[in-house]
């Protein structure tokens, strides 16, 4: 399964994949961070479409086209704001990954790229978020034969090293 998970350092807006995932907010009307970068790269048509969608609850996902992005689709998911860990944050973040992966399969996507949801403006601790991202993705891929590649696009060395370290830990403990 590890061969279907790839970790890279880079900019998600540049990824030539079928779908990229956006770390959005409940309004789906854009914002800073990766959300702002995706809206800028996709062009104003993206905002027109997400306005029509009309928002998204935390933990769920909604789909739009990718417009000027290399990716055909954008899967918008809303991560939880970290409030100390007792407000269902871990379960909600796990739902983001499950629902986004399910949306990718429903679209017929073979390749999908994720940012590190909730670990920027929303303050989720990077290590815990990475464990959840990789655990949920591994679990999902066990029951799915259609997705060929899930790419985690890390913004900077700290995220890159964390993802690599935790994926290595999962692989060592397999079998
Ligand atoms: N490519 C890949 N990753 C990126 C990029 C990029 N171009 N830009 C930033 N990151 P954040 P959140 C990383 O804050 O924590 C927005 O305003 C970044 O380093 O984008 O889920 C939304 O509208 C971090 O690791 O998302 C919401 O209001 C990760 O992406 C709120 O922020 C996520 O950081 C969502 O906060």
């Amino acid at each position: 399964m590890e061969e279907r998970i790839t970790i890279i350092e880079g900019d998600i807006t540049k990824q030539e994949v079928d779908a990229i995932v956006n770390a959005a907010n409940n309004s789906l009307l854009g914002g800073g961070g990766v959300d702002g970068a995706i809206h800028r790269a996709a062009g104003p048509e993206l905002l027109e479409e997400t306005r029509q969608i009309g928002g998204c609850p935390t933990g769920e996902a909604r789909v739009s086209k990718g417009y000027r992005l290399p990716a055909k689709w954008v899967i918008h998911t809303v991560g939880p704001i970290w409030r100390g860990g007792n407000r269902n944050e871990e379960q909600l973040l796990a739902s983001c990954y499950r629902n986004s992966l399910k949306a990718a399969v429903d679209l017929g996507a073979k390749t999908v790229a994720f940012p590190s949801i909730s670990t920027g403006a929303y303050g989720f601790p990077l290590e815990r978020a990475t464990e959840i991202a990789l655990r949920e993705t591994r679990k999902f891929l066990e029951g799915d034969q259609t997705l060929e590649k899930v790419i985690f696009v890390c913004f900077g060395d700290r995220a890159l090293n964390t993802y690599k370290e935790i994926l290595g830990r999962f692989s060592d403990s397999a079998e």
Side-chain angles (χ1 to χ4, degrees), residues 18-39:
D18 296 328
I20 63 171
V21 177
N22 182 17
N25 58 57
N26 294 124
S27 76
L28 298 187
L29 297 179
V34 72
D35 194 7
I38 288 172
H39 275 270

PDB file of all heavy atoms in Angstrom, residues 18-39:
ATOM      1  N   ASP A  18      -5.592  14.411 -10.728  1.00  0.00           N
ATOM      2  CA  ASP A  18      -7.011  14.542 -11.087  1.00  0.00           C
ATOM      3  C   ASP A  18      -7.720  15.505 -10.128  1.00  0.00           C
ATOM      4  O   ASP A  18      -8.539  16.308 -10.551  1.00  0.00           O
ATOM      5  CB  ASP A  18      -7.694  13.169 -11.035  1.00  0.00           C
ATOM      6  CG  ASP A  18      -7.114  12.218 -12.062  1.00  0.00           C
ATOM      7  OD1 ASP A  18      -6.689  12.687 -13.143  1.00  0.00           O
ATOM      8  OD2 ASP A  18      -7.056  11.001 -11.794  1.00  0.00           O
ATOM      9  N   ALA A  19      -7.416  15.406  -8.842  1.00  0.00           N
ATOM     10  CA  ALA A  19      -8.092  16.256  -7.857  1.00  0.00           C
ATOM     11  C   ALA A  19      -7.124  16.717  -6.789  1.00  0.00           C
ATOM     12  O   ALA A  19      -6.262  15.940  -6.351  1.00  0.00           O
ATOM     13  CB  ALA A  19      -9.237  15.475  -7.198  1.00  0.00           C
ATOM     14  N   ILE A  20      -7.260  17.981  -6.385  1.00  0.00           N
ATOM     15  CA  ILE A  20      -6.535  18.446  -5.197  1.00  0.00           C
ATOM     16  C   ILE A  20      -7.559  18.751  -4.108  1.00  0.00           C
ATOM     17  O   ILE A  20      -8.715  19.106  -4.398  1.00  0.00           O
ATOM     18  CB  ILE A  20      -5.642  19.685  -5.457  1.00  0.00           C
ATOM     19  CG1 ILE A  20      -6.452  20.917  -5.876  1.00  0.00           C
ATOM     20  CG2 ILE A  20      -4.568  19.370  -6.473  1.00  0.00           C
ATOM     21  CD1 ILE A  20      -5.622  22.205  -5.915  1.00  0.00           C
ATOM     22  N   VAL A  21      -7.131  18.606  -2.882  1.00  0.00           N
ATOM     23  CA  VAL A  21      -8.000  18.890  -1.738  1.00  0.00           C
ATOM     24  C   VAL A  21      -7.648  20.276  -1.201  1.00  0.00           C
ATOM     25  O   VAL A  21      -6.469  20.635  -1.105  1.00  0.00           O
ATOM     26  CB  VAL A  21      -7.831  17.809  -0.645  1.00  0.00           C
ATOM     27  CG1 VAL A  21      -8.683  18.136   0.582  1.00  0.00           C
ATOM     28  CG2 VAL A  21      -8.209  16.439  -1.212  1.00  0.00           C
ATOM     29  N   ASN A  22      -8.683  21.031  -0.881  1.00  0.00           N
ATOM     30  CA  ASN A  22      -8.503  22.368  -0.314  1.00  0.00           C
ATOM     31  C   ASN A  22      -8.854  22.359   1.167  1.00  0.00           C
ATOM     32  O   ASN A  22      -9.881  21.797   1.555  1.00  0.00           O
ATOM     33  CB  ASN A  22      -9.421  23.355  -1.058  1.00  0.00           C
ATOM     34  CG  ASN A  22      -9.267  24.786  -0.565  1.00  0.00           C
ATOM     35  OD1 ASN A  22      -8.281  25.111   0.097  1.00  0.00           O
ATOM     36  ND2 ASN A  22     -10.243  25.618  -0.876  1.00  0.00           N
ATOM     37  N   ALA A  23      -8.016  22.988   1.982  1.00  0.00           N
ATOM     38  CA  ALA A  23      -8.326  23.187   3.407  1.00  0.00           C
ATOM     39  C   ALA A  23      -9.125  24.484   3.518  1.00  0.00           C
ATOM     40  O   ALA A  23      -8.569  25.553   3.722  1.00  0.00           O
ATOM     41  CB  ALA A  23      -7.035  23.267   4.217  1.00  0.00           C
ATOM     42  N   ALA A  24     -10.426  24.368   3.369  1.00  0.00           N
ATOM     43  CA  ALA A  24     -11.321  25.523   3.269  1.00  0.00           C
ATOM     44  C   ALA A  24     -11.902  25.888   4.633  1.00  0.00           C
ATOM     45  O   ALA A  24     -11.529  25.316   5.665  1.00  0.00           O
ATOM     46  CB  ALA A  24     -12.435  25.202   2.270  1.00  0.00           C
ATOM     47  N   ASN A  25     -12.822  26.841   4.626  1.00  0.00           N
ATOM     48  CA  ASN A  25     -13.601  27.155   5.836  1.00  0.00           C
ATOM     49  C   ASN A  25     -15.082  26.937   5.519  1.00  0.00           C
ATOM     50  O   ASN A  25     -15.443  26.663   4.381  1.00  0.00           O
ATOM     51  CB  ASN A  25     -13.318  28.585   6.315  1.00  0.00           C
ATOM     52  CG  ASN A  25     -13.644  29.606   5.242  1.00  0.00           C
ATOM     53  OD1 ASN A  25     -14.777  29.665   4.757  1.00  0.00           O
ATOM     54  ND2 ASN A  25     -12.661  30.395   4.842  1.00  0.00           N
ATOM     55  N   ASN A  26     -15.935  27.053   6.533  1.00  0.00           N
ATOM     56  CA  ASN A  26     -17.345  26.694   6.366  1.00  0.00           C
ATOM     57  C   ASN A  26     -18.061  27.465   5.250  1.00  0.00           C
ATOM     58  O   ASN A  26     -19.023  26.974   4.676  1.00  0.00           O
ATOM     59  CB  ASN A  26     -18.122  26.885   7.666  1.00  0.00           C
ATOM     60  CG  ASN A  26     -17.677  25.943   8.766  1.00  0.00           C
ATOM     61  OD1 ASN A  26     -17.301  26.362   9.849  1.00  0.00           O
ATOM     62  ND2 ASN A  26     -17.706  24.643   8.495  1.00  0.00           N
ATOM     63  N   SER A  27     -17.576  28.660   4.952  1.00  0.00           N
ATOM     64  CA  SER A  27     -18.268  29.465   3.928  1.00  0.00           C
ATOM     65  C   SER A  27     -17.943  29.003   2.503  1.00  0.00           C
ATOM     66  O   SER A  27     -18.706  29.258   1.579  1.00  0.00           O
ATOM     67  CB  SER A  27     -17.875  30.943   4.070  1.00  0.00           C
ATOM     68  OG  SER A  27     -16.569  31.174   3.549  1.00  0.00           O
ATOM     69  N   LEU A  28     -16.803  28.356   2.328  1.00  0.00           N
ATOM     70  CA  LEU A  28     -16.258  28.001   1.002  1.00  0.00           C
ATOM     71  C   LEU A  28     -16.027  29.232   0.118  1.00  0.00           C
ATOM     72  O   LEU A  28     -15.972  29.120  -1.103  1.00  0.00           O
ATOM     73  CB  LEU A  28     -17.149  26.992   0.254  1.00  0.00           C
ATOM     74  CG  LEU A  28     -17.375  25.627   0.868  1.00  0.00           C
ATOM     75  CD1 LEU A  28     -18.136  24.735  -0.125  1.00  0.00           C
ATOM     76  CD2 LEU A  28     -16.074  24.932   1.239  1.00  0.00           C
ATOM     77  N   LEU A  29     -15.882  30.386   0.731  1.00  0.00           N
ATOM     78  CA  LEU A  29     -15.711  31.609  -0.057  1.00  0.00           C
ATOM     79  C   LEU A  29     -14.259  32.067  -0.137  1.00  0.00           C
ATOM     80  O   LEU A  29     -13.976  33.211  -0.481  1.00  0.00           O
ATOM     81  CB  LEU A  29     -16.595  32.731   0.511  1.00  0.00           C
ATOM     82  CG  LEU A  29     -18.097  32.452   0.457  1.00  0.00           C
ATOM     83  CD1 LEU A  29     -18.890  33.599   1.063  1.00  0.00           C
ATOM     84  CD2 LEU A  29     -18.556  32.194  -0.974  1.00  0.00           C
ATOM     85  N   GLY A  30     -13.336  31.176   0.178  1.00  0.00           N
ATOM     86  CA  GLY A  30     -11.911  31.508   0.086  1.00  0.00           C
ATOM     87  C   GLY A  30     -11.383  32.041   1.399  1.00  0.00           C
ATOM     88  O   GLY A  30     -12.130  32.214   2.370  1.00  0.00           O
ATOM     89  N   GLY A  31     -10.066  32.283   1.428  1.00  0.00           N
ATOM     90  CA  GLY A  31      -9.430  32.740   2.667  1.00  0.00           C
ATOM     91  C   GLY A  31      -7.948  32.862   2.432  1.00  0.00           C
ATOM     92  O   GLY A  31      -7.506  33.126   1.318  1.00  0.00           O
ATOM     93  N   GLY A  32      -7.149  32.630   3.483  1.00  0.00           N
ATOM     94  CA  GLY A  32      -5.696  32.705   3.360  1.00  0.00           C
ATOM     95  C   GLY A  32      -5.112  31.326   3.107  1.00  0.00           C
ATOM     96  O   GLY A  32      -5.808  30.412   2.670  1.00  0.00           O
ATOM     97  N   GLY A  33      -3.833  31.182   3.379  1.00  0.00           N
ATOM     98  CA  GLY A  33      -3.160  29.869   3.318  1.00  0.00           C
ATOM     99  C   GLY A  33      -3.355  29.157   1.994  1.00  0.00           C
ATOM    100  O   GLY A  33      -3.368  29.781   0.925  1.00  0.00           O
ATOM    101  N   VAL A  34      -3.539  27.858   2.094  1.00  0.00           N
ATOM    102  CA  VAL A  34      -3.665  27.042   0.882  1.00  0.00           C
ATOM    103  C   VAL A  34      -4.959  27.378   0.142  1.00  0.00           C
ATOM    104  O   VAL A  34      -5.019  27.347  -1.093  1.00  0.00           O
ATOM    105  CB  VAL A  34      -3.506  25.541   1.239  1.00  0.00           C
ATOM    106  CG1 VAL A  34      -4.684  24.988   1.985  1.00  0.00           C
ATOM    107  CG2 VAL A  34      -3.213  24.734  -0.003  1.00  0.00           C
ATOM    108  N   ASP A  35      -5.987  27.728   0.870  1.00  0.00           N
ATOM    109  CA  ASP A  35      -7.280  28.114   0.285  1.00  0.00           C
ATOM    110  C   ASP A  35      -7.102  29.337  -0.636  1.00  0.00           C
ATOM    111  O   ASP A  35      -7.548  29.341  -1.802  1.00  0.00           O
ATOM    112  CB  ASP A  35      -8.244  28.440   1.440  1.00  0.00           C
ATOM    113  CG  ASP A  35      -9.691  28.539   1.027  1.00  0.00           C
ATOM    114  OD1 ASP A  35     -10.009  28.222  -0.134  1.00  0.00           O
ATOM    115  OD2 ASP A  35     -10.517  28.930   1.887  1.00  0.00           O
ATOM    116  N   GLY A  36      -6.421  30.349  -0.132  1.00  0.00           N
ATOM    117  CA  GLY A  36      -6.161  31.548  -0.932  1.00  0.00           C
ATOM    118  C   GLY A  36      -5.334  31.226  -2.168  1.00  0.00           C
ATOM    119  O   GLY A  36      -5.625  31.709  -3.274  1.00  0.00           O
ATOM    120  N   ALA A  37      -4.327  30.379  -1.999  1.00  0.00           N
ATOM    121  CA  ALA A  37      -3.460  30.014  -3.127  1.00  0.00           C
ATOM    122  C   ALA A  37      -4.257  29.263  -4.198  1.00  0.00           C
ATOM    123  O   ALA A  37      -4.087  29.499  -5.396  1.00  0.00           O
ATOM    124  CB  ALA A  37      -2.288  29.159  -2.627  1.00  0.00           C
ATOM    125  N   ILE A  38      -5.138  28.380  -3.765  1.00  0.00           N
ATOM    126  CA  ILE A  38      -5.943  27.605  -4.725  1.00  0.00           C
ATOM    127  C   ILE A  38      -6.907  28.528  -5.467  1.00  0.00           C
ATOM    128  O   ILE A  38      -7.040  28.454  -6.697  1.00  0.00           O
ATOM    129  CB  ILE A  38      -6.688  26.447  -4.007  1.00  0.00           C
ATOM    130  CG1 ILE A  38      -5.675  25.358  -3.601  1.00  0.00           C
ATOM    131  CG2 ILE A  38      -7.801  25.871  -4.882  1.00  0.00           C
ATOM    132  CD1 ILE A  38      -6.230  24.253  -2.717  1.00  0.00           C
ATOM    133  N   HIS A  39      -7.566  29.432  -4.763  1.00  0.00           N
ATOM    134  CA  HIS A  39      -8.480  30.359  -5.438  1.00  0.00           C
ATOM    135  C   HIS A  39      -7.730  31.262  -6.414  1.00  0.00           C
ATOM    136  O   HIS A  39      -8.215  31.509  -7.526  1.00  0.00           O
ATOM    137  CB  HIS A  39      -9.271  31.187  -4.411  1.00  0.00           C
ATOM    138  CG  HIS A  39     -10.505  30.473  -3.933  1.00  0.00           C
ATOM    139  ND1 HIS A  39     -11.728  30.600  -4.555  1.00  0.00           N
ATOM    140  CD2 HIS A  39     -10.699  29.613  -2.915  1.00  0.00           C
ATOM    141  CE1 HIS A  39     -12.626  29.849  -3.932  1.00  0.00           C
ATOM    142  NE2 HIS A  39     -12.031  29.236  -2.924  1.00  0.00           N
TER     143      HIS A  39
END
